[in-house]
Amino acid sequence: MKVTGIDESMAGVTNLEKAKAQGSGAFKDMFTGLVQERLDNLTEDLEKMNAQKQEISQLKAQQEFTEVIRHVLPDGSILVKEYVDGKLDTCYRKPPHLKDVPDESQPVPKAADGTELSTQRKMKQVPAVRILEDMV
């Protein structure tokens, strides 16, 4: 009895082995064709890749920036933050300008006869500008 579609030389061979035997030559031909195409286009691909690298480096150079942000704190001091490329680089606080004012919490010195000596009053330093007082 003869069955159509079966080769006598392939009798007793599994389907997997048949597929490997028949497909290996076709796969090799397809693979060598793809490799040959890649080799033919290699110089063009390298030129494109180098051009893209140059564009990326130019864009990165354009994106570099330094940003300085100043926050005025309620006590009059200034908090300065410097960002380089979006990352915090330095952060420091500039103290406020101070002025001398009489210290109200200290008693006024008195002379032996009981007169007040206002010129010898204790002084304290306070910020020249107080943002919090101006806001209230």
Side-chain angles (χ1 to χ4, degrees):
M1 173 177 175
K2 215 164 186 172
V3 178
T4 58
I6 294 181
D7 217 359
E8 286 181 16
S9 63
M10 294 294 227
V13 180
T14 64
N15 287 337
L16 183 62
E17 292 171 345
K18 286 181 191 176
K20 283 183 180 178
Q22 291 174 354
S24 63
F27 178 74
K28 285 180 184 177
D29 293 340
M30 181 183 71
F31 185 74
T32 54
L34 288 172
V35 170
Q36 189 61 37
E37 286 178 25
R38 295 285 179 162
L39 288 175
D40 292 341
N41 296 333
L42 184 63
T43 56
E44 294 173 10
D45 291 342
L46 287 175
E47 289 174 0
K48 288 178 186 177
M49 190 171 65
N50 288 335
Q52 288 177 350
K53 281 184 182 179
Q54 288 177 353
E55 286 181 34
I56 290 171
S57 64
Q58 289 174 353
L59 288 173
K60 282 185 180 179
Q62 290 175 357
Q63 289 179 349
E64 292 177 2
F65 63 93
T66 301
E67 183 179 13
V68 178
I69 298 176
R70 292 178 180 85
H71 297 281
V72 179
L73 301 178
D75 67 347
S77 61
I78 300 172
L79 181 65
V80 180
K81 294 180 182 180
E82 294 180 9
Y83 291 90
V84 177
D85 297 331
K87 296 180 183 175
L88 183 64
D89 186 40
T90 58
C91 181
Y92 57 93
R93 183 179 163 266
K94 290 173 121 181
H97 296 289
L98 301 175
K99 65 179 181 180
D100 289 328
V101 296
D103 191 1
E104 300 294 332
S105 65
Q106 299 291 328
V108 179
K110 295 185 180 183
D113 61 353
T115 60
E116 292 182 353
L117 302 172
S118 61
T119 57
Q120 293 181 359
R121 189 170 204 176
K122 299 255 180 180
M123 303 295 272
K124 67 178 181 179
Q125 290 189 330
V126 295
V129 177
R130 290 188 182 185
I131 304 295
L132 190 60
E133 289 177 358
D134 292 342
M135 292 173 65
V136 177

